[in-house]
Amino acid sequence: MHKDIESILYSEEVLASRIKELGDQISKDYKDERVIVVGVMKGANVFVADLIRNITADVILDFIVVSSYGASTETTAVIRLLKDLDENIDSEHVLIVEDIIDSGLTLEYLVNNFETRHPKSIKICTLLNKVERRKIDMKVDYIGFQVPDEFIVGYGIDYAERYRNLPYVGILKRSVYE
Ligand code: PRP
């Protein structure tokens, strides 16, 4: 385990098995359909790569880059769109893939933005759901795990851009950010 990690919440094996279940469910729901899977960068990068390999429906992969908070531990309401979609989502099924939903502000921004482009449907998949911190009420269609309100890193999730490469999801030691 990395020296800055207090404890492991979800090991590589636990993540792989849950992501297979999510992929099976998504494959059933979009059977015989085409779906544009939108990874929300950078955090969802690792998750979306594993998730799409567990989906048997017709997948078009796209990415959007947004930033909601930098090196701080607090979420602000400022969402910056750094890179838009490459695909035209008019009349397409869209599945937005997040690593973690915290306040919900990022997704509220994205869903509102995508709706103006008239997709056939928009669904949301997140690996981790931190419901205690939610400011915006929303329906989340696929959830990997409900997580406690701890400082979580790994498997794509950073603190000050570090720890994204950890293969597991862990809790960061307080001494690192205090
Ligand atoms: C994180 C995470 C989500 C968002 C969730 O991204 O990946 O996109 O915050 O927070 P919210 O529900 O409070 O909006 P971040 O802005 O840290 O960028 P990153 O994906 O590049 O790490």
Side-chain angles (χ1 to χ4, degrees):
M1 190 166 75
H2 191 290
K3 66 174 175 40
D4 294 347
I5 299 300
E6 184 73 52
S7 61
I8 294 177
L9 261 185
Y10 309 112
S11 67
E12 265 187 274
E13 295 73 23
V14 167
L15 289 170
S17 132
R18 183 68 187 122
I19 291 164
K20 166 126 192 22
E21 288 173 359
L22 288 174
D24 288 348
Q25 187 61 52
I26 292 166
S27 303
K28 270 188 207 147
D29 294 351
Y30 289 97
K31 196 175 184 300
D32 303 326
E33 302 267 13
R34 179 170 61 190
V35 57
I36 300 184
V37 174
V38 178
V40 184
M41 297 295 107
K42 300 175 192 170
N45 186 21
V46 179
F47 175 42
V48 82
D50 283 343
L51 182 67
I52 57 168
R53 284 178 283 177
N54 285 283
I55 301 176
T56 54
D58 193 5
V59 166
I60 307 284
L61 180 62
D62 204 347
F63 296 105
I64 197 156
V65 184
V66 292
S67 180
S68 63
Y69 49 96
S72 131
T73 56
E74 285 305 313
T75 299
T76 70
V78 181
I79 314 287
R80 288 189 301 152
L81 177 57
L82 307 179
K83 183 213 161 278
D84 201 354
L85 293 171
D86 293 327
E87 299 297 321
N88 179 357
I89 59 170
D90 187 353
S91 307
E92 300 281 355
H93 291 297
V94 174
L95 178 65
I96 305 176
V97 177
E98 269 286 22
D99 49 330
I100 186 163
I101 307 177
D102 210 322
S103 67
L105 288 163
T106 305
L107 274 173
E108 182 195 41
Y109 169 86
L110 285 180
V111 169
N112 288 341
N113 181 306
F114 288 179
E115 268 170 358
T116 64
R117 309 182 200 192
H118 311 293
K120 201 184 280 178
S121 69
I122 302 180
K123 283 189 175 184
I124 296 168
C125 175
T126 189
L127 180 65
L128 308 177
N129 193 31
K130 204 187 258 186
V131 108
E132 282 174 62
R133 302 252 304 178
R134 196 61 44 84
K135 291 182 185 157
I136 310 290
D137 199 25
M138 69 177 63
K139 177 171 178 264
V140 184
D141 302 277
Y142 307 99
I143 296 171
F145 302 95
Q146 303 285 357
V147 288
D149 190 11
E150 300 278 1
F151 206 104
I152 285 164
V153 293
Y155 197 74
I157 302 170
D158 73 311
Y159 169 60
E161 295 301 327
R162 298 179 64 207
Y163 313 109
R164 293 194 200 272
N165 56 316
L166 299 180
Y168 48 81
V169 172
I171 298 176
L172 193 62
K173 282 184 182 163
R174 274 186 173 275
S175 57
V176 178
Y177 57 89
E178 277 187 345

